[in-house]
Amino acid sequence: MLISRRNFLKSTATLLPAFASLPMVFRRAVASSMLESSSYSSPYQNRTLIIIQMAGGNDGLNTVIPYTDSKYYDHRSYLAVSDEDVLDLNGELGLHPVLGKMKLLWDQGLLAVVQGVGYENQSYSHFESMHIWQTADNKGKLEEGWLGRYFESLKGMEDNIFQGLAVGKLMPYECSNLNAPIPVVSSIDKYRLEGSTQQRSEALLKLYSSSPLGAPYGVLLDNTIEAVYKSSEALQTADKNYQSDIQYPETSLSKSLKVLAEAIIGDLGVRVGHVKIGGFDTHSDQIVEQPDLLQEMSEAIYAFYEDLKAAGRDQDVLIMTWSEFGRRVKSNGSGGTDHGAAAPMFLIGSPVVGGIYGENPNLRNLDKDNLRFTTDFRSVYSTVLEEWLGAAPEAILGGQRFEHIPFLAKV
Amino acid sequence: MLFNKDRRLFLQTAAKLGLSAGALIIFEQACSNMVPTEEAVSLMPTSQPKLTPTLVPAQVIDSTSQTPVPYPTAGPTPMVGPTSQPEMAYPVNTPAVNKKVIDDPRVRMGHLLRRAGFGASKEEIDKHLSMGEAETISYLLDYDKSDDSEVESRIESLNLDLSDKLADLQRMAMLRMIYTNRPLQEKMVLFWHGLLTSGWKKVGKGPYMLQQDELFRSHAFGNYDDLLKAVARDSAMLIWLDSRVNKKNKPNENFARELMELFSMGVGTFTEEDVKESSRAFTGWSLKKKVFHFQENQHDFGVKTFLGNIGNYDGDDVVDIIMEQPVTSRFISRKLFEFFAYDNPEEEVIARLAKTFNDSGYSITALLKDILTSEEFYTQQAYRSKIKSPAELIAGTIRALGIESTVTYQVRKYMGPMGQELFNPFDVSGWPENEEWINSSTLLNRLNFVNAVAEGNRRHFDYDLVNMIDLKTVNETKDVIDYFVDILLDGEISEEEKGIYIAYLDGLLKGEDLQTGLTKDRLASLVYLVMSSPDYQLA
């Protein structure tokens, strides 16, 4: 058995009271073990939440387009999408023409659009705003990712290394958690240790657990090596057993979502999957760049959905998209848009009640050239945490209560 | 970064408690057999005296009790995260042990050459030890006194296409890091590439990224205002942050924002109006025939209000005003100190460095000299307090073992999966740092890289592992361990770790004596283990 600090923290946690005087990590471990969690009982245990991060700040106004509003055309000059080209949703809003596959999902009632999502005192810095979305806190008080806190709130965390699975090169900040680093994989094919022998692994694991707890990054390294050993073999097995007739497009996002599909269909117990698509920071040439990215996203999501459906798992998977901000209402002089504020979020999948939620952005009542937010992003998080994952949202969202949005079908 | 504070608090507290994993395991086992009462706690193993006084609970709460609600359901002070704790149970900056200055000259030299360069072989360390520390620092700072023609001819001999092939650019950069005689200059090039970054995926083919690399090399140690003004005119930057399409009347804010947020002042130190106004000052700074061109008819000559100043400013004026802000000297001082020494430096360190910077007319050399000669740089707080970036790991490994390499695909292929595709960062924020380098995928690829090195395929990693160690000098297993730990880890490992290495090599030897039993495979396995260790991941 691997000796991990995570196990240690977990088991001591239940025994150590007076946690006010403990170091923070211990204290959190205490807190999480005391959280009454029902998430390991049905119906939540087979459910997965897929996060798609659209990094760079996606232009929401050219994604879900208010094509009946003349103001849109006034502001956007040649970046505007013609009302003849949009894919109409409800006679008022339409999807960008490259989102054909998303429109197919909409037609089946599988796409929910939450309008005007943002937060108070919008930050126009990519990294500050991402941090706010990732920690679920616009006051800079909460640390670690909101999903990292969710992982820590789960009982039996140490038994399942795949509580979360991120596809990409870096750990997504929203999943970050010192005590429970989820596996990160960029391609299953290359996710295997070369030259590994029994003797080598035994000695290596001893070395990692022997470094003093106070050694910089000792905990992180120790927990990560454990994740390496535990996850690489399981993913190889899932990959070997995975069979599918669905053709995914040859794009980066498709490949990433396919990894998640393999893990879900292979029953690895993934509660949260994370993928990222970057490049939405369209200060120039938006007319070329944004449609390519939106199309990549739309087609990848569709293939992923079809794959899960064919495997009979579509009922278990909810997809959520987010981006750190929308873009300036008025386009700039370089065929692009600068950093903005509120934007729509997508929720996709069989568990969804399709439709438009929240208040449409008002192009006649701007806040310094930007759209005012009408829905706090944590309302979406809170809905998903409680109604989809069966977690207690207040504990994860800093003690605050947020109004829920009825985009999920009642089971 | 917020995350750092949290981790540091935890690690420093743990360090103060002197916890080792061994102690934790004993403690864990003891606890799992006990009923958690005050009496039971008093029975905790007395062999761990440091543990008990601090961890003994003042009051025992039944673990099944529902009363201690871990998170408040409402209210302004949520419990998650140290910043919400007005009074820390443990001070953030204390443990005296961390302030301890490293005495051993060999360890100090290893640390210096690793941080202010890309590590060193045994011979290089010996050479610098006889030069002395002060002389070595001068050698690093006065880099242009060192002849670097050897690395130039290595690069030339490969006939690289440095304009149109990203892989060739990366190869050139790695060759410089590995074989340069001017390691601090190359370290600064890597630093600037991470701070004032641009990336291939947007900039694309052409001479642009190479020119930016050369700009960083020629301005590596200059004055920061000169560098910022040069970067504002740099072709790759003009493309990367859209200055080339920044036009009068409808300005593009991309460069102006990142100039302040990422390059000089930091987030939250300027307003959205400052972004808009300064972007006007850079209008017309364009690109023509692949080089900077001032497009007069697109420049906004009007009056701008910027950071409280009013005037008919252009881009250079904006840089000058930025340099006058007190936040700027602190920002760049912090960036450099954290890159070379340790995270979250003390206020007095930042204040001192900022003064050095301002007094010297924004000199980067002055800052570097201050840092590399400071006591803080040689404390335990700095030693192994950073995670090696992939470039440092690869270049450092090849340097330390004296390997001949032309940085073929078999070497480069690990960089991307480790998270650092040179000249092609993830986004405008440049390279990740420290804990961001470590996740299951990057760690696995680090291990696979060191495995490839240990196996030592001659075409990619040419060195003679078997003859590296003189068998006449080894009498017992421990000597072999010491030899490689000296080269790769400054000889600094715990007794517990040494025991693990000895047991491992003894296991491989299966009773054979050292003179005949130290085959290439066995040595390779040992070197693999040392380079896979947690210590080796640290810079």
Side-chain angles (χ1 to χ4, degrees), chain B residues 25-39:
Chain B
I25 291 156
I26 295 168
F27 184 54
E28 176 187 20
Q29 287 165 347
C31 289
S32 62
N33 294 326
M34 281 181 199
V35 182
T37 63
E38 245 167 316
E39 190 194 343

Side-chain angles (χ1 to χ4, degrees), chain B residues 50-93:
Chain B
K50 278 182 257 170
L51 278 175
T52 24
T54 329
L55 291 181
V56 164
Q59 178 199 344
V60 175
I61 298 169
D62 183 340
S63 62
T64 58
S65 156
Q66 296 297 310
T67 34
V69 180
Y71 301 97
T73 47
T77 49
M79 281 196 49
V80 191
T83 51
S84 64
Q85 300 296 316
E87 286 170 42
M88 300 270 185
Y90 291 86
V92 180
N93 286 318

Side-chain angles (χ1 to χ4, degrees), chain B residues 299-500:
Chain B
H299 181 67
D300 179 344
F301 285 96
V303 171
K304 294 112 189 162
T305 304
F306 177 59
L307 293 169
N309 300 274
I310 300 173
N312 176 13
Y313 300 133
D314 68 7
D316 286 340
D317 299 323
V318 163
V319 171
D320 289 334
I321 293 170
I322 286 174
M323 294 308 297
E324 286 163 11
Q325 308 301 310
V327 285
T328 303
S329 53
R330 293 174 56 84
F331 175 90
I332 191 69
S333 296
R334 175 182 292 273
K335 282 278 174 193
L336 265 180
F337 187 87
E338 292 190 339
F339 182 77
F340 284 99
Y342 54 80
D343 283 349
N344 303 316
E346 299 77 358
E347 170 56 31
E348 56 266 32
V349 173
I350 293 301
R352 185 190 76 220
L353 292 171
K355 186 170 184 311
T356 301
F357 182 69
N358 285 331
D359 290 352
S360 63
Y362 315 136
S363 162
I364 296 299
T365 312
L367 266 186
L368 284 172
K369 192 171 182 182
D370 188 320
I371 293 168
L372 298 180
T373 55
S374 72
E375 193 170 270
E376 295 90 21
F377 182 75
Y378 298 95
T379 55
Q380 292 294 344
Q381 191 172 358
Y383 190 68
R384 282 189 195 158
S385 67
K386 297 181 65 67
I387 302 266
K388 281 175 187 159
S389 64
E392 289 174 300
L393 183 81
I394 294 176
T397 299
I398 296 178
R399 270 188 98 111
L401 291 172
I403 298 171
E404 267 303 309
S405 169
T406 54
V407 194
T408 55
Y409 172 73
Q410 291 303 320
V411 182
R412 296 193 311 274
K413 71 173 183 183
Y414 296 100
M415 299 204 70
M418 285 186 205
Q420 192 170 33
E421 223 189 305
L422 290 173
F423 299 103
N424 205 14
F426 296 102
D427 56 43
V428 293
S429 70
W431 298 118
E433 47 193 47
N434 289 326
E435 70 275 356
E436 294 167 280
W437 289 124
I438 296 295
N439 61 57
S440 66
S441 175
T442 56
L443 185 58
L444 178 144
N445 278 289
R446 282 170 176 251
L447 265 50
N448 285 350
F449 166 73
V450 300
N451 179 59
V453 174
E455 280 182 8
N457 181 323
R458 276 188 156 276
R459 280 185 53 222
H460 309 294
F461 302 95
D462 188 5
Y463 69 119
D464 188 353
L465 186 56
V466 178
N467 291 313
M468 189 180 273
I469 180 164
D470 182 357
L471 289 180
K472 290 196 284 289
T473 63
V474 296
N475 298 314
E476 49 182 336
T477 317
K478 178 182 157 299
D479 300 335
V480 184
I481 307 300
D482 284 345
Y483 180 83
F484 286 105
V485 166
D486 276 353
I487 294 176
L488 296 167
L489 295 172
D490 304 337
E492 283 285 292
I493 54 168
S494 68
E495 284 306 311
E496 189 177 357
E497 287 171 300
K498 189 173 281 187
I500 295 167

Side-chain angles (χ1 to χ4, degrees), chain B residues 83-287:
Chain B
T83 51
S84 64
Q85 300 296 316
E87 286 170 42
M88 300 270 185
Y90 291 86
V92 180
N93 286 318
T94 24
V97 61
N98 285 343
K99 299 284 181 206
K100 214 181 126 205
V101 175
I102 307 162
D103 301 322
D104 187 333
R106 199 170 195 93
V107 178
R108 286 171 71 102
M109 190 57 79
H111 173 69
L112 172 64
L113 293 176
R114 203 160 43 246
R115 294 290 177 87
F118 294 89
S121 65
K122 194 170 182 299
E123 293 70 30
E124 276 178 278
I125 296 257
D126 288 340
K127 189 184 85 185
H128 286 291
L129 277 172
S130 55
M131 272 169 76
E133 199 168 278
E135 273 296 299
T136 300
I137 292 170
S138 299
Y139 150 80
L140 292 166
L141 286 169
D142 304 331
Y143 63 86
D144 45 0
K145 291 182 186 159
S146 305
D147 172 42
D148 220 9
S149 52
E150 192 209 321
V151 76
E152 301 299 341
S153 38
R154 275 178 190 267
I155 292 164
E156 269 165 39
S157 72
L158 294 173
N159 287 319
L160 303 174
D161 180 352
L162 298 176
S163 284
D164 293 345
K165 282 193 183 149
L166 175 60
D168 281 2
L169 267 176
Q170 294 167 337
R171 203 166 174 187
M172 181 255 330
M174 287 307 303
L175 284 166
R176 288 186 187 281
M177 291 177 207
I178 298 165
Y179 296 110
T180 183
N181 287 319
R182 301 169 168 186
L184 184 54
Q185 185 189 23
E186 287 309 315
K187 200 63 178 266
M188 285 306 294
V189 172
L190 182 61
F191 173 78
W192 296 128
H193 171 41
L195 184 69
L196 310 173
T197 209
S198 298
W200 184 267
K201 62 175 161 275
K202 179 163 174 180
V203 174
K205 289 183 179 182
Y208 312 114
M209 291 306 292
L210 175 65
Q211 281 170 5
Q212 188 175 76
D213 183 67
E214 284 166 354
L215 171 72
F216 292 152
R217 195 162 290 103
S218 62
H219 280 68
F221 288 48
N223 291 348
Y224 196 47
D225 49 340
D226 294 340
L227 176 54
L228 284 181
K229 287 172 189 173
V231 160
R233 293 171 170 81
D234 171 64
S235 309
M237 186 61 77
L238 289 164
I239 300 170
W240 178 247
L241 292 180
D242 298 307
S243 285
R244 64 169 169 166
V245 287
N246 184 14
K247 290 177 185 147
K248 189 164 70 177
N249 301 330
K250 288 184 113 186
N252 184 308
E253 296 173 4
N254 205 6
F255 178 73
R257 177 187 305 279
E258 304 307 7
L259 171 66
M260 288 186 280
E261 180 180 333
L262 301 176
F263 302 168
S264 64
M265 294 170 62
V267 71
T269 60
F270 52 88
T271 65
E272 285 302 298
E273 278 310 303
D274 291 325
V275 173
K276 288 178 182 166
E277 292 291 288
S278 54
S279 63
R280 291 175 53 211
F282 286 102
T283 48
W285 286 43
S286 192
L287 197 60

Side-chain angles (χ1 to χ4, degrees), chain A residues 322-355:
Chain A
W322 72 275
S323 192
E324 69 263 30
F325 40 61
R327 304 198 75 83
R328 197 74 46 83
V329 172
K330 212 171 185 53
S331 46
N332 63 25
S334 3
T337 48
D338 292 323
H339 300 180
M345 285 174 81
F346 289 137
L347 291 120
I348 305 152
S350 297
V352 158
V353 180

